Amino acid sequence: MFSQILCFTLIVAVVIAQDHGHAFSSNHISRHDGHHQTVHGHDHGHDHLDYYTHPKYEFEYKVEDHHTGDKKSQHEQRDGDVVVGGFYLNQPDGSDRHVDYHADDHSGFHADVKYSTHHLHHHH
């Protein structure tokens, strides 16, 4: 999953940089690998060892293309079983969608979705 996110953000950055002179993108990824822990398991009558590392990371990216109007960003951080993040998207109708989300093993996934519209003023 981590490598897919990294690959996606790099592809978006390269495409935008090549196709549009007035666009920019940015991304930041930090991965914090912990020490591996040995986990003893029992599967189909056989004992086995697994290795578990405490998952911890954070990433963010932003794309803003004034030529196409494509504007979006996302940020997320994970520490163990707790994931907190959000994203912003300028939708095709001109409205903005802001989503903040939180997930953990205790309460599951919750998202707060807000929409805002920009009022256009016409001058005669």
Side-chain angles (χ1 to χ4, degrees), residues 46-114:
H46 296 49
D47 289 332
H48 67 276
L49 293 177
D50 258 336
Y51 298 95
Y52 172 80
T53 300
H54 180 85
K56 187 171 183 176
Y57 66 82
E58 61 184 81
F59 76 87
E60 62 182 294
Y61 73 87
K62 182 176 185 177
V63 175
E64 193 167 321
D65 186 340
H66 298 287
H67 179 73
T68 64
D70 186 17
K71 292 169 47 175
K72 58 187 149 217
S73 64
Q74 182 177 3
H75 62 91
E76 180 176 294
Q77 64 185 48
R78 178 177 182 178
D79 190 356
D81 294 327
V82 178
V83 178
V84 178
F87 67 88
Y88 157 82
L89 172 66
N90 180 256
Q91 301 190 134
D93 67 357
S95 64
D96 295 329
R97 180 176 11 161
H98 295 268
V99 178
D100 292 309
Y101 57 88
H102 176 269
D104 61 40
D105 282 347
H106 179 70
S107 61
F109 178 81
H110 298 278
D112 180 28
V113 182
K114 294 179 181 163

Side-chain angles (χ1 to χ4, degrees), residues 6-25:
L6 176 61
C7 184
F8 171 75
T9 57
L10 292 176
I11 289 170
V12 169
V14 169
V15 169
I16 289 174
Q18 290 177 350
D19 290 342
H20 307 291
H22 302 300
F24 82 89
S25 67

